[in-house]
Amino acid sequence: MSWIDVGHIDDIPLRGARLVKTPAGCVALFRTSEAEVFAASDTCPHKGGPLSEGIVHGRSVTCPLHNWVFSLETGAAQGADEGQIPTYEVKLEEGRILLDTAALSARAAA
Amino acid sequence: MTQKLIVIGAGMATGRMLETLVEQHADFDITLFNAEPRGNYNRIMLSPVLSGEKTYAEIVTHDDDWYTASGITCRFGERIAGINTAAKTVTAENGDVLEYDKLVFGTGSNPFMIPLPGHDLEGVIAYRDLEDTQRMMDLGEGNKVVVIGGGLLGLEAAAGMAARGVDVTVVHIMDHLMERQLDEAAGYLLRRALVDKGITVKCAANSKEILGEKGKVRALLLDDGTELPCDLLVMAVGIRPNIKLATEAGLAVGKGIHVDDQMVTSDADILAVGECVEHQGAIFGLVAPLYDQAKVAAQTLMGQEAAFVQKELSTKLKVTGCDLFSAGDFAEGETREDIVFRDPARGVYKRLVLENNVVVGAVFYGDTTDSNWFFGLIRDKTDISDMRETLIFGPNMQGGEVDPLQAVAALPADAEICGCNGICKGQIVEAIEGGATTLADIKAGTKASGSCGTCTGLVEQVLAVTLGDDFVVPAAASVCGCTELTHEDVRRLIKSQGLKSQDAVWQQLAWSTPNGCHVCRPAINYYLIADWPLEYQDDPQSRFVNERNHANIQKDGTYSVVPRMWGGITTPDELRAIADAADKYNVPTVKVTGGQRIDLLGVRKEDLPAMWYDLNKAGMVSGHAYSKGLRTVKTCVGTDHCRFGTQDSTGLGIKLEKLLWGSWTPHKVKLGVSGCPRNCAEATCKDVGIICVDSGYEVSVAGAAGMDVRETELLAKVPTEEEAIAVTTAYIQIYRENAKYLDRGYKWVAKVGLDWVKEQVVDDLENRAALVARFELSQSIYRNDPWAEHAAKADAYQPLADLTLEAAE
């Protein structure tokens, strides 16, 4: 584990998302209405839509291009669609968002 | 032994007869002659084709494949020259002689042409077949047409052409329209509705002569000396059974070809069906009895017992926005009594004619919901003494609450459900017993509700009654999976319960998800903004990405930026600023949009704030080319430069855009303002289209040119620019307040009816002013430039963190 502080939870709008650039590509940080933050790939496996621009609802996000819905917890596509986005370890400490970069570089190296 | 059957005429009656023969595998070798160069189509649907609501392809009932599959030899475009009943042969036009065992006449009728001087001029036509319809459809907008005949057919022709922008005058010899079906009061209401559609109606008008020029029609001259100029003259004054061939063949004829109850003519091997027959002194022009005849004829041919019985008939007019029903006999008489109901404000008129406690006639205008029930009373000669006091209010007022399903359950098997296709309840029940479980099954199996669709509700009720719990009448769809409420319910509850936040909506309306989904959230967000503009704070996270980022997302995740150019007008300075921005932010594509604006395509999200800042500095604001809101007002140059322009259309377009911009609406809103009827701004396919004319402004609404292509309908003609602006604003506000999210204006108007909209924004001046005031109030918050705001907080458009550098270290 290699935790790195990438910002404060309030930097992400409620039920919104922000991007973090990493060597493994763009990772999207999603904030739900329950003060939770999830990290996942920004890219929809369908047509590459930017998931950080989707609507966050419950613990899911809907891709803005063609309305595919992904679970932020598991990364699995919901409903009739099939697909998976990578999710990453993230934790909150006193409002600071910590992202596990080890997982990111490991994935990049793999 | 296979018999030879020759059928003359491929109309609706013989079509239905052949269908029955084919379905029952009757052993005939069939040859079908038709003077028209095509097979059977649904002639009564020509009116929707004329008005543009249907296409010809949609009204074909039997295509080539059907004839081939059914083994019918088709000789379309060929007439029969003669018949030799002794030798049992027919002679075709080209001299071919064919033998028959059985012959069926379906020669239909000929439109009656009044022998006025000039009736043979080019441009004088009837309204009978596809060629006539095509002639009317080919007339361009602004052309003039005179229709002689204010009956069913004439009015459908008039309304169809008026809907296409043709200048139509109806000339009717009687004092009121449709005098055979309507009394004076209903005739008056109908006339008013047609006048509102822009049709000129002249009753008690005697045509004297058709005037021509170089062999072509020029005008109709009336008795009183009035000249009505026209490019086309349509005569729709009635039909005459086409009996020429039958007469020559020596069959017994009167007004039509005489037939008995089995549809057999005076020659035992010759039958006749449809408009060409005369049965017990009556001739037939409506479709229901003609289908009955077709079935009887088929059964007779197959040696089955059957008899044609004349039934009570009812009439409906296929003109959008004119709800009209008449049945039975409503002539006045000493033994007859009337029950009349009028609601002038709603334009509703109902009249029942009673004789000996039985309803013998009914005329309804404006509200025809219960017409089937009343028709049942007439047909069954029900004694109504017990319900006389509340009779006029319909079935729901009889003996407390009447379940509409019970009323349907009580209908006899021969009650007609679908008038277009002559399908009765028994046939639908039969189809259900044969396995049909949905409306689609019924349509496919019986054709019921497959034409005009007004009987869809009834068909569903028959399904519900017959299937019981197995059939759920499809309720209006809910907003999404998060709630069972419909959009309409949600809108109503937001207002009535004073819900002013999304949390309140989710909580009070028992949403099944914690905070909605991508479907309901944008809708709720819109409803709250529209209803509480001063109190509700817009939620960007409930907006689609385009509206959140104030630019259009493209398929590769880049954006397109469209600066507003008021009324399509720009300046060299603005063009320079746009060119500079395109250079500075490496815009790969610069395109002029369909709405006369410039689109900068391929901008990276991070560059958006800086680009907006630059464009703002040059005086430009967001073009909202992405929003469910006002997009563009397209204009022509009007009086400024054009030799035809009648008003300052560009100026009006700029005023409208400056007034309306920034407002959120249920779906996108586009306007067009044309300076003259040449309509260079293509205003007639916009949500609101204004055509400037010499005498003022024609404001029309509910057009579309996307998934559906629709022409606008006239909302109002007003003399001044101020009034045109007020009517437009009030229309947009009433759409904002009432429509379901993502319903374009044309879909919404189709639901509520243009007449209702007119009442609210054109006729009721107080209401119009109130709508405009509510729009202004909302605009005091929302007429602002989102770019300026977002350019100021540019950091939100940058990545939260960049770990690429750290990882490299």
Side-chain angles (χ1 to χ4, degrees):
Chain A
M1 292 286 191
S2 163
W3 297 106
I4 186 160
D5 184 326
V6 291
H8 192 273
I9 183 168
D10 289 342
D11 294 334
I12 309 176
L14 190 65
R15 291 189 291 274
R18 291 287 299 275
L19 281 184
V20 174
K21 282 193 175 176
T22 81
C26 280
V27 167
L29 293 181
F30 299 92
R31 175 180 174 186
T32 72
S33 47
E34 304 295 327
E36 303 162 309
V37 173
F38 290 95
S41 158
D42 185 39
T43 308
C44 177
H46 173 223
K47 299 264 181 185
L51 294 172
S52 57
E53 297 296 346
I55 287 179
V56 177
H57 48 100
R59 286 178 168 177
S60 309
V61 62
T62 301
C63 175
L65 290 196
H66 305 97
N67 291 335
W68 282 37
V69 181
F70 295 91
S71 159
L72 295 175
E73 292 170 278
T74 67
Q78 310 288 291
D81 297 322
E82 277 178 32
Q84 177 81 31
I85 49 170
T87 56
Y88 305 101
E89 290 290 324
V90 65
K91 65 180 178 180
L92 278 175
E93 270 174 18
E94 290 169 6
R96 301 305 303 181
I97 305 162
L98 304 177
L99 189 63
D100 178 14
T101 50
L104 283 166
S105 9
R107 216 174 271 260
Chain B
M1 158 103 188
T2 305
Q3 294 197 78
K4 291 195 179 76
L5 172 65
I6 292 181
V7 180
I8 310 173
M12 295 179 70
T14 58
R16 182 53 60 94
M17 181 191 77
L18 289 173
E19 229 170 66
T20 312
L21 290 175
V22 169
E23 270 164 22
Q24 305 209 9
H25 309 290
D27 193 14
F28 285 106
D29 175 8
I30 305 170
T31 305
L32 175 62
F33 280 87
N34 198 27
E36 279 188 63
R38 62 181 72 82
N40 187 16
Y41 59 93
N42 191 339
R43 199 182 294 273
I44 57 174
M45 298 309 281
L46 281 176
S47 296
V49 171
L50 176 59
S51 65
E53 288 161 62
K54 284 201 187 288
T55 62
Y56 171 67
E58 286 175 277
I59 68 165
V60 170
T61 53
H62 300 89
D63 55 17
D64 292 346
D65 292 345
W66 185 85
Y67 291 115
T68 310
S70 307
I72 296 170
T73 308
C74 297
R75 301 189 60 161
F76 294 156
E78 284 191 65
R79 291 168 192 279
I80 296 287
I83 298 165
N84 183 337
T85 54
K88 300 211 330 189
T89 58
V90 302
T91 308
E93 222 171 4
N94 67 356
D96 285 358
V97 176
L98 287 81
E99 289 178 0
Y100 67 81
D101 296 303
K102 296 282 179 190
L103 179 67
V104 176
F105 270 81
T107 47
S109 59
N110 293 321
F112 178 56
M113 301 299 274
I114 311 172
L116 288 173
H119 71 273
D120 46 5
L121 284 166
E122 154 65 15
V124 178
I125 63 167
Y127 181 27
R128 177 65 193 157
D129 56 24
L130 191 64
E131 275 72 29
D132 298 331
T133 312
Q134 197 62 49
R135 273 296 285 277
M136 293 188 238
M137 286 163 64
D138 289 345
L139 271 182
E141 228 172 90
N143 271 299
K144 288 187 165 58
V145 164
V146 169
V147 176
I148 303 184
L152 207 58
L153 211 55
L155 296 183
E156 288 183 3
M161 285 184 287
R164 288 179 179 271
V166 174
D167 179 348
V168 183
T169 303
V170 173
V171 175
H172 193 47
I173 193 163
M174 306 302 286
D175 290 333
H176 70 266
L177 296 173
M178 289 182 70
E179 77 287 347
R180 279 166 61 193
Q181 292 88 7
L182 298 183
D183 60 10
E184 275 186 323
Y188 165 77
L189 287 171
L190 174 61
R191 176 181 182 148
R192 207 178 61 178
L194 294 171
V195 169
D196 282 351
K197 286 185 187 292
I199 298 171
T200 308
V201 179
K202 289 190 173 294
C203 284
N206 262 313
S207 307
K208 189 175 179 190
E209 188 180 345
I210 302 170
L211 308 175
E213 203 173 79
K214 293 178 191 159
K216 194 179 173 314
V217 65
R218 173 175 69 79
L220 176 71
L221 177 66
L222 302 181
D223 256 3
D224 62 5
T226 314
E227 245 188 67
L228 303 169
C230 58
D231 305 296
L232 188 75
L233 188 139
V234 180
M235 248 193 236
V237 291
I239 53 169
R240 294 272 170 89
N242 180 5
I243 54 173
K244 186 164 172 279
L245 194 60
T247 313
E248 286 166 5
L251 299 179
V253 298
K255 282 180 284 183
I257 305 170
H258 282 161
V259 292
D260 61 14
D261 292 350
Q262 281 67 46
M263 308 314 295
V264 177
T265 65
S266 56
D267 182 313
D269 291 317
I270 303 181
L271 287 75
V273 290
E275 290 181 343
C276 62
V277 309
E278 177 181 340
H279 176 260
Q280 293 176 3
I283 59 172
F284 306 85
L286 296 173
V287 71
L290 163 165
Y291 277 161
D292 286 348
Q293 294 174 359
K295 271 175 253 171
V296 171
Q299 284 170 297
T300 304
L301 287 171
M302 291 183 287
Q304 300 167 358
E305 267 186 42
F308 172 65
V309 184
Q310 290 184 30
K311 289 187 209 154
E312 285 289 348
L313 292 175
S314 62
T315 307
K316 277 181 186 158
L317 181 71
K318 286 182 295 304
V319 172
T320 312
C322 298
D323 265 341
L324 176 162
F325 173 89
S326 96
D329 177 5
F330 40 85
E332 315 226 336
E334 282 193 6
T335 55
R336 291 189 167 180
E337 302 161 284
D338 274 333
I339 300 179
V340 175
F341 171 90
R342 289 176 205 272
D343 184 348
R346 281 198 302 143
V348 172
Y349 167 80
K350 303 182 183 190
R351 174 166 166 235
L352 297 174
V353 182
L354 308 181
E355 194 162 28
N356 302 325
N357 286 321
V358 166
V359 184
V360 295
V363 182
F364 298 140
Y365 188 90
D367 174 8
T368 55
T369 345
D370 298 326
S371 51
N372 268 306
W373 183 75
F374 285 106
F375 185 47
L377 296 181
I378 297 176
R379 198 190 42 218
D380 302 339
K381 302 187 172 50
T382 311
D383 185 325
I384 51 85
S385 9
D386 288 346
M387 49 182 171
R388 187 178 165 124
E389 280 175 27
T390 53
L391 182 66
I392 193 83
F393 300 110
N396 293 326
M397 291 299 289
Q398 311 315 321
E401 280 185 35
V402 169
D403 182 354
L405 286 183
Q406 277 176 14
V408 172
L411 287 175
D414 67 348
E416 186 178 273
I417 301 286
C418 170
C420 292
N421 293 299
I423 307 297
C424 57
K425 182 183 159 191
Q427 286 166 283
I428 295 174
V429 171
E430 225 171 84
I432 296 168
E433 284 162 0
T437 56
T438 64
L439 182 67
D441 293 346
I442 300 287
K443 258 189 212 173
T446 69
K447 295 191 175 63
S449 97
S451 294
C452 78
T454 50
C455 64
T456 302
L458 261 180
V459 174
E460 282 177 346
Q461 286 172 353
V462 175
L463 273 161
V465 165
T466 317
L467 290 174
D469 292 343
D470 292 343
F471 180 75
V472 183
V473 178
S478 67
V479 175
C480 65
C482 304
T483 177
E484 284 176 7
L485 297 168
T486 63
H487 281 271
E488 289 75 9
D489 285 337
V490 172
R491 285 217 87 160
R492 188 170 47 75
L493 291 166
I494 284 175
K495 275 178 226 173
S496 67
Q497 299 191 12
L499 307 177
K500 297 184 182 177
S501 71
Q502 296 208 50
D503 282 313
V505 172
W506 301 328
Q507 188 60 37
Q508 295 297 318
L509 305 184
W511 240 239
S512 67
T513 48
N515 41 52
C517 69
H518 64 279
V519 178
C520 59
R521 278 244 302 280
I524 305 301
N525 187 51
Y526 169 74
Y527 295 151
L528 292 167
I529 272 195
D531 289 340
W532 318 109
L534 303 185
E535 288 143 288
Y536 176 71
Q537 185 83 38
D538 182 37
D539 172 26
Q541 299 308 328
S542 294
R543 289 201 173 275
F544 182 62
V545 53
N546 285 352
E547 294 183 348
R548 194 169 347 108
N549 291 345
H550 305 289
N552 259 337
I553 196 164
Q554 310 294 312
K555 67 177 200 179
D556 62 354
T558 64
Y559 291 82
S560 88
V561 168
V562 183
R564 204 167 269 294
M565 287 178 181
W566 310 102
I569 290 285
T570 186
T571 63
D573 279 343
E574 285 182 349
L575 290 174
R576 259 187 290 272
I578 290 172
D580 287 345
D583 274 344
K584 187 167 168 188
Y585 302 104
N586 300 315
V587 168
T589 308
V590 180
K591 183 179 185 311
V592 174
T593 71
Q596 299 175 332
R597 307 296 185 268
I598 292 176
D599 195 354
L600 301 161
L601 291 130
V603 183
R604 297 188 316 151
K605 186 187 171 192
E606 301 92 289
D607 288 338
L608 287 173
M611 189 166 178
W612 297 333
Y613 177 80
D614 290 357
L615 291 168
N616 275 168
K617 220 165 53 178
M620 307 187 82
V621 298
S622 166
H624 293 95
Y626 43 78
S627 68
K628 313 288 178 237
L630 179 84
R631 297 212 174 161
T632 53
V633 181
K634 193 171 179 177
T635 60
C636 71
V637 294
T639 41
D640 269 2
H641 302 278
C642 176
R643 67 196 162 105
F644 296 116
T646 64
Q647 311 278 358
D648 178 14
S649 52
T650 319
L652 175 54
I654 292 171
K655 280 181 197 162
L656 283 168
E657 187 164 352
K658 291 202 161 169
L659 179 78
L660 302 171
W661 78 290
S663 61
W664 298 108
T665 44
H667 207 301
K668 63 184 168 190
V669 169
K670 294 178 176 177
L671 273 66
V673 185
S674 280
C676 78
R678 284 164 193 78
N679 193 15
C680 295
E682 292 158 349
T684 47
C685 58
K686 298 289 188 286
D687 296 285
V688 180
I690 298 178
I691 305 276
C692 303
V693 291
D694 262 338
S695 53
Y697 303 81
E698 292 174 358
V699 182
S700 62
V701 298
M707 301 273 272
D708 291 302
V709 181
R710 272 174 215 250
E711 193 182 341
T712 51
E713 291 184 81
L714 186 69
L715 178 64
K717 186 171 172 187
V718 294
T720 64
E721 192 179 80
E722 290 70 42
E723 221 178 329
I725 292 173
V727 166
T728 304
T729 311
Y731 169 75
I732 287 177
Q733 179 64 10
I734 201 169
Y735 165 59
R736 282 165 42 94
E737 289 179 4
N738 289 280
K740 162 179 143 181
Y741 189 65
L742 296 189
D743 256 1
R744 287 283 303 272
Y746 70 96
K747 285 196 180 163
W748 172 71
V749 168
K751 278 180 203 164
V752 298
L754 186 65
D755 287 345
W756 180 79
V757 179
K758 271 187 197 162
E759 278 166 30
Q760 302 290 315
V761 308
V762 183
D763 304 341
D764 187 341
L765 294 177
E766 209 173 299
N767 193 42
R768 183 198 299 175
L771 284 163
V772 172
R774 288 203 292 278
F775 183 79
E776 279 297 340
L777 180 77
S778 171
Q779 285 293 73
S780 67
I781 306 284
Y782 288 102
R783 198 186 282 132
N784 61 4
D785 179 26
W787 286 359
E789 195 184 323
H790 283 247
K793 46 177 186 181
D795 58 333
Y797 286 81
Q798 303 302 319
L800 183 60
D802 188 343
L803 308 180
T804 50
L805 301 171
E806 281 133 81
E809 280 163 12

